[in-house]
C-alpha cells in the first residue's frame, strides 16, 4: 500500500507558469442603458440609465445626484450627449436619485436598491417646468433583469437572516442560484458545515465544474482555500448572517474584471455603518430535549445523544460623526456539543467477535479457539499461541476503566463470528468559535471615500471518533482528533472621483487562514501493570521506527482501528492582494481598466502520518500475522510561494437606445509555484 497525505495543493497553483487570456463579447438588447457589466466591482454596484424629455428626446448635460440613504454618501454625475449616464462604484444599499436641468421640473426617485456586482436601471423622464417643482417616483423592483448578461443570483442579508440555516452558514443557500449543485447540510453536522470547502462533495459545483474551480471573495478580497483539503484546511471564512449585507453567486458570463478561476464567483459583502444607530442581540439554540432518540440507539439501550448548540451575539452600527465617519461591529459565539454527527465522528457502532471481560490468554482462547488466520495458522483453544502484543492491546484499559477494545454491549448469535458483538458508542464532539467583524467608512469629502473591513474568527473542533486513515473501519474510543481553524481577513478601499466621468478605486487586501490538525493518544493501563503509559508502539512491545512510534494505528479489516486518525499538520495560508480599477465614461463608452497583483504564501509545518499495522481478521491479529505495514518518512515542511497578476479592459458601448455591446479582454498570469525550502 502506498500511503499519501490527503492534503492536495490547489490545482491552479501547481505546475509551470501559465498564461491565460480571455476575450468577451456580449450583446444586450434591452432598455436604453449601459449594461450592468459597467461600473461595478466585486464589492460595489452601479446605477445607470438614460435621461429624456417628455417626448422621448435625449437630454445631455442633466445633473444627477445619488445619495445613499443609509450612509449619506453622495455621487454626482451628468448625462452624456446621447442622454445616457452611469454612477459607478456604489456601495450596495438604498439610494435616492435627483435629476435637474434648467427649464425642467426636478425629478426625484427613491427606493433604488443597488446590489453587489449589479447595475440598477433607472431611466429619467423630465417634464417641462420650473426647477422648484418636483416629480417624485417611488422605485419598484424590476420583474425581469434585461441589462445583465451575467448568470447569477443576489441573496440579500434579510433573506440570509430569515431562512432557517442549520448552522447559520450562508453557503448552505448557494444552491438558490440556477446551475448550482450543492449538498444539503445534515442537521447533526459538527461545526459550521462544509458549504465553504473547496474540495470533494462538501463544496458546490456550478454548471458541472469542479468544486475547487470556484472563487470566494469577501469584501473584494480573495478568501480561497488554496490547499483544497476540505475541513483539514478549513475552507473559506463564514461571516454570521446578521452581519451580511448580501452575497451574489455569478455562475457564468461574468465580465473581464473577473478571472483566476473558471467556476463560479461567490462575492459576500458584510454590512456598513449608517447615520442612525441600529443593532440587535440574538441567541439561537438547539437542544436534545427537543429530539427523539435514534431507533438503533434506543434498541441498544442508549439514551438520546446530546445535541446542544448555542449561537449568540450582537450587531451594532451607527455614526461616529454623521455623514462623515460610520462604524459597524458584530460578534458571534458558537458553543456546540454534538453526539449525533451522521458522519460517525461522534457516534460509532462497532461489530466484533463475542469478546468477554476475560482478556487472559485462556479466556481469549475460549472465544477464538479454532479460528483460522487468513495468512496461516489457527488460534489455539488454550490461547497459547496468541501474540504478546495482542494480549497487551486486548487487555489494555482506558482511564475510565473500560477496555481499549470494548466488550460488546449485546450479542447477536445469528450473525457471522466477527460481527456477533455489537457496541454502540456515543461521545460528544465539541465545536467552539468566537467571531468578530469591525467595519468603518470614512466619507472624506464629495470626491474621496475610504472603506475598511476586518474579519476575525477562532474556531476549535474535536472529533471523538475520527475516521481512520489506514482502513475504512470505525475508530475505537480514546483517540480524539482536534482541528483548530483561525481566519483573519482585512481590506482597505479608496474610491476617488476625479470628475463625473472619471473615477478610481484602489484596494489593499489581506487574508490569512491557519489550520492546526492534531491527534490525541490516551494513557492506558496494560495487563499486570498499575501505572498508566502512553499508547505507542514501544510501550506495547512493537519495534518501530522513531517517526512511527508516537502515532500508531492498528486496524483490523471489517472491525476497527486503534489509534484513530494518527495524522497531524499545521497549515498557514497568507494572501496579499492589491488591485486598482479605473472607470472612464466617454460618450457612448463606459470603459473600465484595471488589474492587480497577488502574493500567495502556503506553509505546511509539522506534518506526520500514522505508523500503521493492518490485519485481515481478528485471528491474524491474535497470531501476529501482519497483512501490511505503513509509514511515511521524510521531510514534510514546505513553504510554497507564488506571484499572480492580471490586467483587463472592459468597454460597454451604448450603440443605440436598445443595443449595448459589451467587449472585454483579460490577461491572467498564474505564477509558477516554488518552495522556499528547496
Amino acid at each position: 500500500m502506498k500511503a499519501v497525505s490527503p492534503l492536495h495543493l490547489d490545482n491552479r497553483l501547481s505546475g509551470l507558469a501559465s498564461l491565460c487570456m480571455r476575450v468577451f463579447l456580449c450583446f444586450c438588447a434591452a432598455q436604453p442603458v449601459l449594461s450592468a457589466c459597467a461600473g461595478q466591482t466585486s464589492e460595489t454596484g452601479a446605477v445607470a440609465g438614460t435621461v429624456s424629455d417628455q417626448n422621448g428626446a435625449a437630454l445631455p448635460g442633466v445633473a444627477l445626484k445619488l445619495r445613499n440613504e443609509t450612509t449619506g454618501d453622495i455621487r454626482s454625475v451628468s448625462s452624456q450627449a446621447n442622454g445616457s449616464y452611469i454612477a459607478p462604484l456604489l456601495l450596495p444599499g438604498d439610494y435616492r436619485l435627483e435629476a435637474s436641468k434648467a427649464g425642467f421640473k426636478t425629478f426625484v426617485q427613491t427606493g433604488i436598491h443597488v446590489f453587489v456586482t449589479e447595475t440598477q436601471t433607472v431611466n429619467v423622464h423630465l417634464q417641462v417646468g420650473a426647477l422648484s417643482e418636483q416629480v417624485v417616483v417611488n422605485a419598484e423592483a424590476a420583474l425581469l433583469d434585461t441589462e445583465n448578461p451575467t448568470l447569477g443570483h443576489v441573496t440579500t442579508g434579510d433573506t440570509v437572516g430569515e431562512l432557517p440555516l442549520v448552522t447559520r452558514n450562508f453557503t448552505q443557500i448557494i444552491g438558490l442560484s440556477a446551475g448550482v449543485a450543492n449538498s444539503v447540510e445534515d442537521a447533526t453536522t459538527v461545526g459550521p458545515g462544509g458549504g465553504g470547502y473547496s474540495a470533494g462533495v462538501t463544496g458546490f459545483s456550478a454548471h458541472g465544474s469542479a468544486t475547487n474551480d470556484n472563487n470566494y471573495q469577501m469584501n473584494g478580497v480573495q478568501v480561497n482555500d488554496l490547499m483544497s483539503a476540505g475541513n483539514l484546511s478549513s475552507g473559506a471564512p463564514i461571516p454570521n448572517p446578521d452581519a451580511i449585507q448580501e452575497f451574489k453567486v455569478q455562475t457564468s458570463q461574468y465580465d473581464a474584471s473577473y478571472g483566476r478561476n473558471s467556476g463560479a464567483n461567490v462575492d459576500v459583502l458584510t454590512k456598513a455603518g449608517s447615520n442612525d444607530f441600529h443593532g440587535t442581540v440574538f441567541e439561537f439554540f438547539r437542544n436534545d430535549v427537543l429530539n427523539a432518540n435514534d431507533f438503533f440507539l434506543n434498541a441498544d439501550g442508549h439514551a438520546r445523544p446530546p445535541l446542544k448548540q448555542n449561537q449568540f451575539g450582537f450587531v451594532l452600527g451607527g455614526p461616529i460623526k454623521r455623514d462623515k465617519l460610520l462604524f459597524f461591529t458584530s460578534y458571534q459565539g458558537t458553543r456546540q456539543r454534538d453526539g449525533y454527527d451522521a458522519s460517525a465522528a461522534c457516534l460509532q457502532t462497532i461489530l466484533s467477535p463475542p469478546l468477554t471481560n476475560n482478556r487472559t490468554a485462556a479466556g481469549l482462547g475460549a472465544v477464538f479457539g479454532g479460528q483460522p488466520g487468513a495468512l496461516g495458522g489457527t488460534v489455539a483453544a488454550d490461547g497459547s499461541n496468541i501474540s504478546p502484543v495482542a494480549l497487551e492491546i486486548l487487555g489494555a484499559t482506558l482511564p475510565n476503566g473500560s477496555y481499549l477494545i470494548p466488550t460488546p454491549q449485546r450479542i447477536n448469535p445469528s450473525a457471522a463470528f466477527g460481527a456477533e458483538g455489537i457496541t454502540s458508542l456515543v461521545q460528544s464532539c465539541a465545536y467552539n468559535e468566537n467571531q468578530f467583524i469591525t467595519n468603518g467608512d470614512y466619507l472624506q469629502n464629495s470626491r474621496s471615500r475610504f472603506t475598511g473591513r476586518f474579519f476575525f474568527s477562532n474556531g476549535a473542533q474535536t472529533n471523538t471518533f475520527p475516521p481512520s486513515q489506514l482502513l475504512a473501519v470505525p475508530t475505537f474510543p480514546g483517540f480524539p482528533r482536534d482541528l483548530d481553524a483561525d481566519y483573519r481577513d482585512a481590506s482597505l478601499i479608496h474610491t476617488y472621483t476625479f470628475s463625473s466621468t472619471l473615477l478610481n478605486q484602489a484596494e489593499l487586501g489581506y487574508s490569512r487562514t491557519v489550520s492546526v490538525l492534531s491527534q490525541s493518544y490516551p494513557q492506558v493501563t496494560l495487563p499486570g501493570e498499575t501505572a498508566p503509559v502512553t499508547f505507542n508502539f514501544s510501550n506495547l512491545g512493537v519495534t518501530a521506527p522513531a517517526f512511527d512510534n508516537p502515532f500508531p494505528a492498528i486496524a483490523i479489516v471489517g472491525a476497527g482501528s486503534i489509534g484513530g486518525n494518527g495524522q497531524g499538520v499545521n497549515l498557514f495560508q497568507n494572501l496579499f492582494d492589491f488591485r486598482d480599477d479605473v472607470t472612464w465614461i466617454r460618450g457612448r463608452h463606459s470603459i473600465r481598466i484595471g488589474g492587480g497583483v497577488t502574493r500567495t504564501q502556503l506553509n505546511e509545518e509539522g506534518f506526520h502520518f500514522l505508523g500503521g499495522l493492518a490485519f485481515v481478521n481478528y485471528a491474524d491479529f491474535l497470531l501476529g500475522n501482519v497483512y501490511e505495514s505503513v509509514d511515511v518518512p521524510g521531510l514534510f515542511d514546505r513553504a510554497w510561494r507564488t506571484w499572480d497578476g492580471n490586467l483587463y479592459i472592459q468597454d460597454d458601448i451604448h450603440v443605440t437606445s436598445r443595443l449595448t455591446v459589451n467587449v472585454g479582454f483579460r490577461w491572467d498570469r498564474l505564477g509558477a509555484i516554488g518552495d522556499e525550502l528547496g
Side-chain angles (χ1 to χ4, degrees):
M1 173 181 175
K2 181 181 179 182
V4 296
S5 165
L7 305 177
H8 303 284
L9 277 175
D10 186 319
N11 58 11
R12 292 172 303 279
L13 291 179
S14 60
L16 299 176
S18 60
L19 187 67
C20 305
M21 297 186 212
R22 297 193 294 160
V23 177
F24 303 84
L25 180 61
C26 181
F27 298 89
C28 298
Q31 299 297 321
V33 62
L34 295 173
S35 163
C37 291
Q40 36 73 19
T41 61
S42 59
E43 71 280 349
T44 64
V47 173
T50 58
V51 184
S52 60
D53 62 17
Q54 56 197 17
N55 296 318
L59 287 177
V62 176
L64 299 107
K65 182 170 66 177
L66 278 134
R67 176 184 173 88
N68 188 312
E69 295 184 315
T70 300
T71 67
D73 190 19
I74 295 175
R75 179 68 53 79
S76 298
V77 297
S78 59
S79 59
Q80 302 298 297
N82 61 356
S84 65
Y85 77 92
I86 181 170
L89 305 179
L90 300 174
L91 288 178
D94 292 321
Y95 284 80
R96 179 181 185 271
L97 172 65
E98 182 178 307
S100 59
K101 184 178 176 67
F104 293 89
K105 298 178 183 179
T106 299
F107 174 91
V108 176
Q109 183 158 330
T110 60
I112 303 168
H113 189 85
V114 173
F115 294 101
V116 66
T117 76
E118 293 190 359
T119 296
Q120 284 293 96
T121 302
V122 180
N123 295 320
V124 177
H125 303 285
L126 297 185
Q127 300 178 13
V128 175
L131 276 174
S132 57
E133 298 180 88
Q134 284 190 348
V135 176
V136 180
V137 177
N138 292 318
E140 295 183 0
L143 297 179
L144 179 65
D145 183 358
T146 60
E147 304 304 326
N148 194 348
T150 301
L151 296 180
H153 177 79
V154 172
T155 304
T156 65
D158 290 339
T159 301
V160 177
E162 291 169 2
L163 286 174
L165 304 179
V166 173
T167 57
R168 286 173 55 79
N169 181 337
F170 80 92
T171 64
Q172 295 168 12
I173 52 176
I174 283 178
L176 292 176
S177 299
V180 170
N182 65 334
S183 58
V184 177
E185 198 67 50
D186 193 295
T188 63
T189 299
V190 177
Y197 297 150
S198 304
V201 296
T202 52
F204 74 92
S205 174
H207 302 302
S209 62
T211 56
N212 60 356
D213 279 344
N214 303 314
N215 186 24
Y216 288 86
Q217 297 185 99
M218 184 162 67
N219 298 318
V221 177
Q222 292 182 35
V223 289
N224 296 300
D225 174 12
L226 303 178
M227 202 71 185
S228 298
N231 70 334
L232 297 184
S233 53
S234 301
I238 307 296
N240 80 77
D242 289 75
I244 292 177
Q245 171 81 17
E246 58 193 42
F247 74 90
K248 182 173 183 178
V249 182
Q250 298 183 101
T251 57
S252 64
Q253 293 294 96
Y254 35 83
D255 66 42
S257 64
Y258 288 90
R260 185 182 186 277
N261 296 36
S262 61
N265 292 300
V266 180
D267 299 304
V268 60
L269 198 68
T270 55
K271 290 180 178 178
S274 65
N275 275 323
D276 299 304
F277 285 100
H278 297 279
T280 59
V281 177
F282 59 84
E283 155 73 18
F284 297 88
F285 82 97
R286 300 166 65 195
N287 196 289
D288 50 70
V289 173
L290 308 175
N291 297 338
N293 197 8
D294 178 89
F295 174 84
F296 298 101
L297 290 176
N298 193 57
D300 289 337
H302 273 289
R304 282 176 301 200
L307 183 57
K308 304 177 190 297
Q309 178 173 290
N310 294 82
Q311 290 180 289
F312 50 88
F314 70 89
V315 296
L316 178 64
I320 298 175
K321 184 177 181 180
R322 290 180 62 86
D323 293 330
K324 182 65 69 173
L325 185 59
L326 312 173
F327 79 94
F328 174 84
T329 187
S330 170
Y331 165 76
Q332 177 178 270
T334 301
R335 305 293 182 266
Q336 186 181 37
R337 297 296 179 269
D338 188 341
Y340 220 141
D341 190 305
S343 66
C346 325
L347 174 66
Q348 194 73 276
T349 298
I350 297 173
L351 302 179
S352 67
L355 289 165
T356 68
N357 286 337
N358 185 349
R359 302 299 175 93
T360 64
L364 293 170
V367 175
F368 291 94
Q371 291 294 320
L375 301 183
T378 301
V379 178
D382 60 1
S384 58
N385 61 346
I386 293 178
S387 161
V389 175
L391 288 173
E392 294 279 276
I393 294 172
L394 285 166
T397 56
L398 295 167
N400 64 4
S402 64
Y403 282 108
L404 189 63
I405 298 180
T407 301
Q409 295 164 347
R410 63 188 179 94
I411 303 296
N412 179 10
S414 62
F417 173 76
E420 287 183 73
I422 301 172
T423 303
S424 296
L425 300 168
V426 176
Q427 291 185 3
S428 293
C429 298
Y431 175 74
N432 297 322
E433 185 203 32
N434 291 302
Q435 179 187 118
F436 298 90
I437 294 174
T438 301
N439 297 337
D441 293 88
Y442 175 44
L443 312 179
Q444 185 178 15
N445 51 50
S446 61
R447 291 178 176 269
S448 178
R449 182 186 74 222
F450 289 89
T451 301
R453 303 288 185 260
F454 179 67
F455 176 89
F456 170 105
S457 173
N458 282 353
Q461 181 173 322
T462 298
N463 287 354
T464 49
F465 299 115
S468 173
Q469 291 291 325
L470 187 55
L471 295 173
V473 292
T475 298
F476 291 113
F479 302 91
R481 184 185 73 178
D482 295 323
L483 178 61
D484 296 341
D486 300 339
Y487 304 92
R488 307 289 186 270
D489 300 287
S491 63
L492 179 62
I493 302 171
H494 181 226
T495 304
Y496 191 82
T497 304
F498 292 97
S499 68
S500 62
T501 59
L502 183 62
L503 296 91
N504 186 80
Q505 184 178 86
E507 178 172 6
L508 284 171
Y510 170 68
S511 176
R512 176 176 172 83
T513 303
V514 178
S515 306
V516 178
L517 175 70
S518 59
Q519 174 78 57
S520 298
Y521 282 78
Q523 294 285 302
V524 295
T525 302
L526 300 177
E529 303 291 338
T530 56
V533 296
T534 302
F535 182 87
N536 59 37
F537 277 140
S538 61
N539 287 327
L540 295 173
V542 177
T543 301
F547 51 80
D548 282 343
N549 183 58
F551 314 111
I554 301 170
I556 304 171
V557 175
S561 175
I562 311 160
N565 182 276
Q567 183 172 315
V569 69
N570 302 329
L571 298 174
F572 305 89
Q573 303 185 53
N574 297 307
L575 185 146
F576 304 87
D577 196 24
F578 173 75
R579 193 184 79 226
D580 193 81
D581 300 275
V582 177
T583 299
W584 180 34
I585 302 165
R586 181 174 174 82
R588 299 176 181 272
H589 299 265
S590 177
I591 302 169
R592 280 180 295 137
I593 303 173
V597 293
T598 302
R599 176 62 168 172
T600 301
Q601 301 174 342
L602 175 50
N603 297 333
E604 177 181 297
E605 300 176 4
F607 173 80
H608 63 77
F609 201 64
L610 53 86
L613 296 175
F615 299 88
V616 176
N617 55 36
Y618 263 96
D620 280 317
F621 170 64
L622 293 174
L623 295 169
N625 297 333
V626 176
Y627 170 64
E628 66 179 3
S629 63
V630 176
D631 56 36
V632 185
L635 302 175
F636 296 105
D637 282 7
R638 296 291 184 270
W640 291 296
R641 302 287 185 270
T642 188
W643 284 97
D644 294 340
N646 63 82
L647 294 170
Y648 77 91
I649 182 170
Q650 177 80 26
D651 188 5
D652 302 294
I653 309 165
H654 188 201
V655 180
T656 70
S657 63
R658 298 184 60 83
L659 178 64
T660 297
V661 178
N662 312 113
V663 182
F665 175 85
R666 182 180 182 88
W667 172 82
D668 270 297
R669 178 190 184 275
L670 301 183
I673 190 168
D675 182 4
E676 286 199 344
L677 301 180

